Amino acid sequence: METESSVTGGYRRRFTGFLRKCMFSVLSMGPVPNHIAFIMDGNRRYAKKRNLQLGEGHRAGFASLMWILGYCYELGVKYVTIYAFSIDNFKRRPNEVQVLMDLMLEKIDELLKEESLVRQYGIQLYFIGNLKLLSDNVREAVERAMEITAKNNKLVLLICVPYTSTDEILHAVEESCQDKLDHSQAVKQTNGSTDHCNQTSQEDHEHDIKVVDIEKRMYMAAAPDLDILIRSSGETRLSNFLLYQSDKCQLYSPAALWPELGLWHFVWAVLSYQRSYSYFEKKRKQL
């Protein structure tokens, strides 16, 4: 009976895989999103609904992430961004924050194992956010993961931890101001002081901060424009995630909690994007 059950399960998996490939072949006839972002909402509610211990919902969420990454790879998506930990999450109970940090260390190690999806699919890990806020051991694990996967080029997984859009924008503005100030001081030291009005006016314009200066100093400058942003659990709030980058992308909010998110939700998000593709392309060309 056990052998018969395993054989039946094997046939079912192969048949499901065949159907998925057929479905993705059809989807690839239309525009394929290059960059998809996920707000992985609902892990705690998933655990509470099933009377699971603290952290088990996040483990189930990690398994869901692996499935979603597989779908993205098979469809040809090149960049995936996930909201793993908000700076605001540090305000949660200390024991919950510690559980999440321990889980992060555990999953980073798991991602780097030889048999992991990261190794199989050639996924580059890129951690985005204010890494100075992480503890030393977590930050070292993050830096090690980025170094080990730096040469992988099939898919880039950007992990926002700890991150908020307001912090990203503040960081970009501060960096831009500091760079302009450093450049101004270097020019003055090279040329010496001058009283010529026209030169002073020219220097003032050269030191103006432009939108492009801000954009290239964003944490997310490492990725192209966002095509789809998916938030699970039916919530439509962005929760301080990619506020600057999400103005011209498809938003999708399925009712499923993050660990419940599956293939059909993913396919529907891509179909919605393809229906709206010409509209968003027109908006981007107007910039």
Side-chain angles (χ1 to χ4, degrees), residues 165-178:
S165 273
T166 49
D167 179 74
E168 177 184 30
I169 294 169
L170 177 63
H171 162 81
V173 171
E174 289 178 339
E175 288 280 305
S176 299
C177 291
Q178 188 60 54

Side-chain angles (χ1 to χ4, degrees), residues 138-171:
V138 175
R139 188 167 59 253
E140 287 170 6
V142 161
E143 291 170 352
R144 175 171 164 268
M146 288 194 286
E147 182 181 352
I148 290 174
T149 63
K151 294 182 179 179
N152 294 352
N153 58 10
K154 300 295 184 182
L155 187 152
V156 179
L157 174 61
L158 298 105
I159 304 171
C160 294
V161 52
Y163 172 93
T164 61
S165 273
T166 49
D167 179 74
E168 177 184 30
I169 294 169
L170 177 63
H171 162 81

Side-chain angles (χ1 to χ4, degrees), residues 4 41 88 96-97 135 165 167 169 176 180 220 228 234-236 274 282:
E4 183 179 344
D41 191 19
D88 295 333
E96 184 178 354
V97 173
S135 61
S165 273
D167 179 74
I169 294 169
S176 299
K180 292 292 183 180
M220 288 298 297
I228 306 175
E235 297 286 350
T236 54
Q274 291 180 337
K282 188 183 298 183

